[in-house]
Amino acid sequence: MEPNIKNIAVLTSGGDAPGMNAAIRAVVRTGIYHGINMFGVMQGYQGLITDNIKPMDARSVSNILHLGGTILKTARCLEFKTDEGQQIAYNNLKKNDIDGLVVIGGDGTFTGAKRFSETFGVKVIGIPGTIDNDLVGSDFTLGYDTAINTVIEAIDKIRDTADAHDRLFFIEVMGRDSGCIALRSAIATGAEAVLLPERETSVTELIEKLALGAATKKSSSIVIVAEGHKQGGAYDIAKRVKETFDHYDTKVTILGHLQRGGSPSSFDRILGSRLGFAAVNALIAGKTEQMVGLKGNEIQMTSITEALTSHSFKLEPDLMEMTEVLSI
């Protein structure tokens, strides 16, 4: 395959996700294999504006597969949202003769990349790196599998103390717009209830469900709350439940950024490698404004525009029903 592109830069932007380093490694080494000069942009779009762009070789990405976070660092950059900021970023790309860009991140990252490409004609390929799993075009986004396993491990430990003390635990997990983490972790840990941004569940309905469990002699209950639930966060919901339902001693745990850290799972290491490899090959083939994703067990391309269109498609109806049936 003869490359029609000579210099590629890769960056990570927005929230970090386990597996990003595997993707960076694959991008850099695939490009070098094809004779392309590779660059790493430090601190996401901020690095494009400050010209914090560094040449990378095969050894630059040695021994990083097992690391969480991102060796390129990341930042949220308000200046890149402005016309002036994007012009500076484009000037710095041209100064370094970079004619292809791989961006690893979520919806905010892709929104910026789409506008950047449309305005300046920069060839851009996106890799979905977000633990929320909320981009159309990939069954799994980078970091989601690791985050789910982290949540499950934490909830299993909380269940032990909940059983020992007849406690009701409200556990808040990440998911401002997507309930993917909450839904799957609820099934995997046997949670008694799950509150999702995509589904209306009133506090009254929740209390009725918990009361039924208490009546059938459940010794503890776990309620998983996605941070974006319309009734509020775990603390607010727990307070309202406790006011009218005091069968259990009520506790709240916010897992927070614990979910983003840690060594990536084997799934995320392999996924990151596959997506990084595919992203560079897509640029070589002349593609732009596309996201590489995993559908079934195949790498497929989706336009960045389509990838940004929905947050709720991944909540499978059978999983939603299972949370009700299996928690009796």
Side-chain angles (χ1 to χ4, degrees):
M1 187 187 304
E2 287 296 324
N4 59 1
I5 200 161
K6 302 300 182 184
N7 302 285
I8 293 176
V10 56
L11 63 81
T12 51
S13 176
D16 60 293
M20 281 185 166
N21 286 323
I24 293 167
R25 174 179 178 269
V27 167
V28 170
R29 291 191 171 179
T30 302
I32 291 170
Y33 178 86
H34 288 293
I36 297 170
N37 299 313
M38 301 302 299
F39 297 84
V41 182
M42 303 302 294
Q43 295 185 310
Y45 292 129
Q46 186 67 43
L48 284 183
I49 291 173
T50 60
D51 195 22
N52 196 357
I53 303 171
K54 304 180 182 299
M56 301 188 79
D57 59 25
R59 300 290 79 79
S60 300
V61 290
S62 295
N63 301 318
I64 66 170
L65 272 170
H66 63 292
L67 300 178
T70 162
I71 64 165
L72 295 179
K73 308 300 181 184
T74 182
R76 300 190 188 278
C77 182
L78 294 178
E79 190 175 358
F80 190 73
K81 295 181 178 181
T82 68
D83 294 340
E84 296 79 9
Q86 291 213 346
Q87 182 67 61
I88 294 170
Y90 177 70
N91 292 343
N92 286 328
L93 280 185
K94 296 307 291 182
K95 183 173 74 173
N96 290 279
D97 294 322
I98 292 167
D99 46 12
L101 187 62
V102 176
V103 298
I104 307 171
D107 53 1
T109 301
F110 286 4
T111 299
K114 179 175 180 290
R115 181 175 168 225
F116 191 46
S117 179
E118 289 174 344
T119 303
F120 297 101
V122 177
K123 291 183 178 179
V124 174
I125 296 294
I127 293 176
T130 167
I131 67 170
D132 288 341
N133 203 37
D134 61 352
L135 290 166
V136 173
S138 190
D139 293 338
F140 298 97
T141 58
L142 203 52
Y144 174 62
D145 183 72
T146 304
I148 283 287
N149 282 295
T150 298
V151 170
I152 290 170
E153 181 180 1
I155 295 175
D156 285 347
K157 292 176 179 179
I158 289 170
R159 175 75 77 177
D160 291 342
T161 190
D163 282 342
H165 296 276
D166 289 338
R167 282 176 172 162
L168 166 60
F169 266 91
F170 288 84
I171 302 171
E172 185 175 298
V173 300
M174 285 185 167
R176 184 180 64 250
D177 299 307
S178 169
C180 285
I181 290 177
L183 178 61
R184 289 178 182 255
S185 62
I187 293 170
T189 60
E192 278 65 36
V194 57
L195 303 182
L196 308 167
E198 297 88 347
R199 182 173 66 184
E200 290 284 351
T201 304
S202 69
V203 172
T204 300
E205 289 175 305
L206 176 60
I207 291 173
E208 290 174 354
K209 186 173 182 62
L210 293 172
L212 181 62
T216 56
K217 303 190 185 307
K218 282 203 171 189
S219 61
S220 65
S221 283
I222 299 287
V223 177
I224 298 177
V225 183
E227 63 181 339
H229 189 262
K230 294 176 177 58
Q231 296 290 329
Y235 277 111
D236 292 336
I237 295 171
K239 181 180 178 181
R240 292 164 64 187
V241 169
K242 191 173 182 179
E243 288 172 353
T244 56
F245 182 73
D246 60 359
H247 178 83
Y248 299 111
D249 179 20
T250 301
K251 301 292 181 182
V252 176
T253 298
I254 310 293
L255 294 184
H257 286 79
L258 171 75
Q259 297 157 83
R260 279 194 189 164
S263 182
S265 65
S266 61
F267 182 89
D268 276 327
R269 297 184 198 195
I270 295 167
L271 179 61
S273 299
R274 293 183 74 179
L275 296 178
F277 174 78
V280 172
N281 286 333
L283 282 174
I284 290 172
K287 297 185 183 300
T288 186
E289 293 183 37
Q290 300 283 306
M291 182 193 80
V292 291
L294 184 71
K295 297 291 288 183
N297 194 34
E298 295 183 356
I299 301 298
Q300 296 186 12
M301 308 292 294
T302 303
S303 73
I304 287 179
T305 299
E306 183 181 351
L308 293 168
T309 57
S310 174
H311 289 284
S312 61
F313 78 104
K314 293 181 188 295
L315 297 190
E316 300 89 338
D318 63 320
L319 297 189
M320 302 275 277
E321 184 180 1
M322 283 168 61
T323 61
E324 300 294 329
V325 173
L326 302 185
S327 63
I328 62 173

